């Protein structure tokens, strides 16, 4: 026993296919836009703030390391 399928292109089916295609293109564009924004270089203001925060972190780490090494300096001649 075989089953026969009849497929007809009705105007409603064509409209649905067009809508689906346009929706897919819009979503792909939005995805590309978001990926592009994340790959872009950070703004100069954010870059300067990050550099300042990094400098503060290194300064604090240097002070903490010096404080941690102070007992060793006293113990060693």
């Amino acid at each position: 026993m075989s089953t026969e399928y009849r497929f007809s292109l009705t105007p409603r089916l064509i409209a649905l296919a067009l809508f689906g295609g346009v929706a897919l293109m819009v979503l792909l564009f939005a995805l590309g836009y978001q990926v592009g924004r994340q790959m872009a270089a950070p703004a100069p203001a954010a870059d300067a703030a990050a550099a300042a925060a990094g400098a503060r972190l290194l300064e604090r780490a240097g002070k903490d390391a010096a404080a941690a090494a102070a007992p060793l300096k006293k113990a060693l001649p």
Side-chain angles (χ1 to χ4, degrees):
M1 177 181 234
S2 67
T3 304
E4 184 178 320
Y5 293 101
R6 296 202 177 188
F7 186 74
S8 60
L9 290 175
T10 62
R12 188 172 71 175
L13 184 61
I14 293 171
L16 182 64
L18 287 175
F19 176 76
V22 169
L24 177 65
M25 292 300 134
V26 167
L27 289 173
L28 284 174
F29 175 79
L31 177 65
Y33 180 76
Q34 291 295 328
V35 169
R37 276 188 45 196
Q38 289 181 359
M39 289 175 57
D47 196 25
R56 286 193 306 269
L57 180 65
L58 287 175
E59 183 180 343
R60 182 186 297 168
K63 288 180 183 177
D64 290 344
L72 290 176
K73 286 184 180 180
K74 291 179 183 177
L76 296 175

